[in-house]
Amino acid sequence: MNGVPVIVVHGGASKIPDHLVYESEQGAKLAALEGYKVLKSGGSCIDAVVKAVSSLEDNPVFDAGRGSVLNEAGEIAMHSLVMRGDTCGVGGVACIQHARNPVQVARIVLDESPHCLLLGDAGLKMARKHNIPEESVDYFVTEHATERFKNFGEYVKAVNGIYNTKEHDTVGAVALDCHGNLACATSTGGITAQKVGRVSDAALVGCGGYADNESAAVCASGHGEAIMKVNLTKTIASYVEAGLAPKEAIPKALKKMNSRVGGSGGAIALDTRGRWGVNFTTERMTWARIGGSDVSGVDKKFVEFGCDAVNIKKECVRL
Ligand code: ASP
């Protein structure tokens, strides 16, 4: 075993309404703990991120798995990605329905198929072959998602409303295990009123998630179309590879995204030295980290911009 394992999770970047702040932060902490237990017992980073994201998917507070938002047809369509930093292996599903934990299907695509991304029923077929539990539509649709659909029945209205006024979103996790490997996992129901067949950045490598032991493991949340255009997570990882710390790479990439294509969002990142970062241009982002010291937050004023594992306390910055 090498060093202290670390996991960072997030529950979405947006203007999370006050009444959901507590539940959201608790959900992120619980997911981080679930993932950390895997790491602590010597398990792999990929097992840890899948465990953490499964916990977030099971929690109706988040827009992933149970709690996913509704598309323009009032249906659920989910997207997920896993990536391992040792081999750069990728598995993803897009527009999948019924699978209780899309992230577990993405993991199967990674382990059992020669492909990186399976769409719709192709993913579900794979899930069935590997006995991933399924649920009926009622399980996924929450009161909150239905309310959102009523408020933001049009996609553009939803994008403006969700990222600039209220609501909360996609989930993700990055982990560093005792063997020195990195992994990431993402999951989302996408954006309210999105077109049937829209693929989220959360299923696309280098957009919603990226992991490479030579740079960093990164997960993003925010307006997917903006994230895709600038390959947000790959950009952050490239900045780390070029010498920036994760806590510096995230704001730089978010600034670039905003100036080039005008979107807002947030990201978490972790490198093989255990240096990590979280930052966002939305009003809030839920996140939690375990390993070295345990911290979490939702509001800007509580953001720790990340730190070096070697000197966690000294380098953490509280605003
Ligand atoms: N990025 C996700 C999407 O566009 C949504 C989010 O993170 O809020 O599908």
Side-chain angles (χ1 to χ4, degrees), residues 163 169-170 188 190-191 198 200-201 221-224 227:
Y163 302 107
D169 313 292
T170 296
T188 191
I191 296 178
R198 172 197 183 248
S200 167
D201 61 288
S221 172
H223 183 205
I227 291 170

Side-chain angles (χ1 to χ4, degrees), residues 16 21 43 47 64 133 163 217 221 312:
I16 301 162
V21 163
D47 286 341
Y163 302 107
S221 172
I312 286 167

Side-chain angles (χ1 to χ4, degrees), residues 68-290:
S68 288
V69 298
L70 306 177
N71 65 18
E72 63 174 0
E75 295 165 345
I76 298 278
M78 301 171 289
H79 317 263
S80 177
L81 172 82
V82 295
M83 184 166 183
R84 46 189 305 157
D86 53 355
T87 60
C88 289
V90 174
V93 286
C95 305
I96 191 168
Q97 298 180 308
H98 299 296
R100 189 195 297 167
N101 293 103
V103 72
Q104 293 174 17
V105 191
R107 173 74 194 270
I108 287 165
V109 175
L110 164 70
D111 290 343
E112 308 290 339
S113 88
H115 307 301
C116 290
L117 179 64
L118 291 183
L119 186 64
D121 285 349
L124 193 58
K125 210 168 152 193
M126 191 87 177
R128 286 186 174 148
K129 199 170 152 205
H130 292 269
N131 301 317
I132 297 292
E134 276 178 54
E135 300 290 348
S136 67
V137 175
D138 291 352
Y139 167 85
F140 296 100
V141 181
T142 57
E143 213 177 289
H144 185 61
T146 310
E147 210 179 288
R148 255 172 122 159
F149 187 62
K150 280 189 200 142
N151 292 343
F152 304 116
E154 290 161 34
Y155 179 74
V156 174
K157 215 167 135 194
V159 169
N160 291 330
I162 291 163
Y163 302 107
N164 301 325
T165 56
K166 56 181 182 174
E167 306 302 329
H168 61 293
D169 313 292
T170 296
V171 304
V174 291
L176 168 66
D177 64 26
C178 303
H179 316 285
N181 291 317
L182 293 169
C184 74
T186 65
S187 185
T188 191
I191 296 178
T192 298
Q194 66 200 344
K195 283 216 170 301
V196 172
R198 172 197 183 248
V199 173
S200 167
D201 61 288
L204 302 177
V205 63
C207 301
Y210 190 76
D212 180 355
N213 283 1
E214 293 186 1
S215 52
V218 189
C219 285
S221 172
H223 183 205
E225 277 64 20
I227 291 170
M228 288 178 211
K229 287 171 193 165
V230 298
N231 283 197
L232 185 64
T233 55
K234 171 64 178 153
T235 299
I236 292 169
S238 297
Y239 288 158
V240 174
E241 194 167 358
L244 290 189
K247 65 181 177 185
E248 297 158 343
I250 299 172
K252 184 174 170 169
L254 288 173
K255 203 169 160 197
K256 180 188 165 87
M257 179 171 86
N258 191 264
S259 70
R260 293 293 291 126
V261 298
S264 58
I268 52 174
L270 176 66
D271 70 8
T272 49
R273 290 158 64 186
R275 300 183 308 167
W276 66 286
V278 53
N279 216 311
F280 45 96
T281 51
T282 46
E283 193 172 314
R284 286 173 164 157
M285 179 169 182
T286 308
W287 60 274
R289 193 212 58 184
I290 303 185

